[in-house]
Amino acid sequence: MIQTLTALTETAQTLALAGGAETDPTQIVFPEDSFWGQLRGWTESLPETLQWLGVIAVSAIPFFESYGGGFLGVLIGMPLWAAIIAAVVGNMLSLTIVVYTAHGIRSAVVKGREPQEMSEGKRKRREKAKRLFDKFGVPGVSLLGPFALPSQITAPLMVSFGANRNLVLIWMLVSVIVWGTGFALLGIGFLNLISG
């Protein structure tokens, strides 16, 4: 931990001496022996397609999603627009899969099958999402849901509550774009902060 803090301090000092206000934060050159320098060096050694696929894959992970993917994309040196697009694509791919799966499960349950018994944790998450859904509707849960639960949980829950899956996907797309863009911009702010 102390080595990491020391490396971050040295990186910030190097950047403050070498950088200027006109420096593009996504093009900052980090010392090769720092964590960010090693991460960027490794990332830049990959073909551009793999860089995109990496951010797409990371953005498909619950609790990381488009906001984490956009932030990471900017930190590893991708242009802002590329980081946002890759993050949105990854998050929406996973959301589409879980929403259509939830719709299929709900359709099967409604046709007369008995629902499976839920664990205490799942039941509590479902109750929390239902309260949010009743209070804010599909647009509100889509935009505010990431404060409470990942979109890969809130989206299928809304469908299981009876919301139209296409409406859920439209509002989730809006949410994913807003959150991904916001955190990508925070990534640029973070780079500006450490660059002096």
Side-chain angles (χ1 to χ4, degrees):
M1 177 76 172
I2 293 173
Q3 291 174 336
T4 304
L5 292 175
T6 305
L8 183 59
T9 304
E10 289 171 4
T11 301
Q13 290 170 348
T14 303
L15 292 172
L17 295 173
E22 295 82 30
T23 304
D24 178 5
T26 61
Q27 300 305 317
I28 292 173
V29 177
F30 293 99
E32 289 183 18
D33 61 341
S34 72
F35 171 75
W36 295 113
Q38 291 174 355
L39 180 63
R40 280 225 178 144
W42 179 76
T43 304
E44 289 170 356
S45 72
L46 298 173
E48 194 171 311
T49 306
L50 285 180
Q51 293 175 17
W52 277 73
L53 290 175
V55 173
I56 288 171
V58 163
S59 300
I61 300 170
F63 295 103
F64 205 80
E65 306 187 44
S66 68
Y67 42 89
F71 187 80
L72 180 65
V74 168
L75 290 182
I76 64 172
M78 290 178 81
L80 176 65
W81 64 269
I84 292 170
I85 290 172
V88 168
V89 167
N91 203 175
M92 285 309 297
L93 283 173
S94 67
L95 276 173
T96 302
I97 291 168
V98 296
V99 165
Y100 277 91
T101 301
H103 176 74
I105 291 170
R106 183 179 191 281
S107 296
V109 169
V110 170
K111 287 183 181 178
R113 293 186 183 169
E114 290 293 321
Q116 291 183 334
E117 193 67 32
M118 281 189 256
S119 69
E120 183 67 21
K122 283 185 180 181
R123 187 184 59 73
K124 285 182 180 179
R125 282 191 301 251
R126 183 176 174 86
E127 288 173 1
K128 186 176 190 177
K130 179 70 171 147
R131 283 192 307 271
L132 282 172
F133 181 69
D134 291 341
K135 186 173 184 176
F136 298 109
V138 173
V141 172
S142 298
L143 293 169
L144 301 174
F147 284 117
L149 296 169
S151 57
Q152 288 92 342
I153 294 174
T154 56
L157 281 174
M158 287 190 289
V159 171
S160 74
F161 297 148
N164 180 297
R165 69 178 179 211
N166 295 326
L167 183 64
V168 169
L169 283 175
I170 289 169
W171 277 103
M172 280 296 175
L173 176 62
V174 170
S175 173
V176 164
I177 291 170
V178 167
W179 282 87
T181 302
F183 273 80
L185 291 172
L186 279 176
I188 287 179
F190 175 74
L191 290 175
N192 279 328
L193 178 69
I194 65 172
S195 69

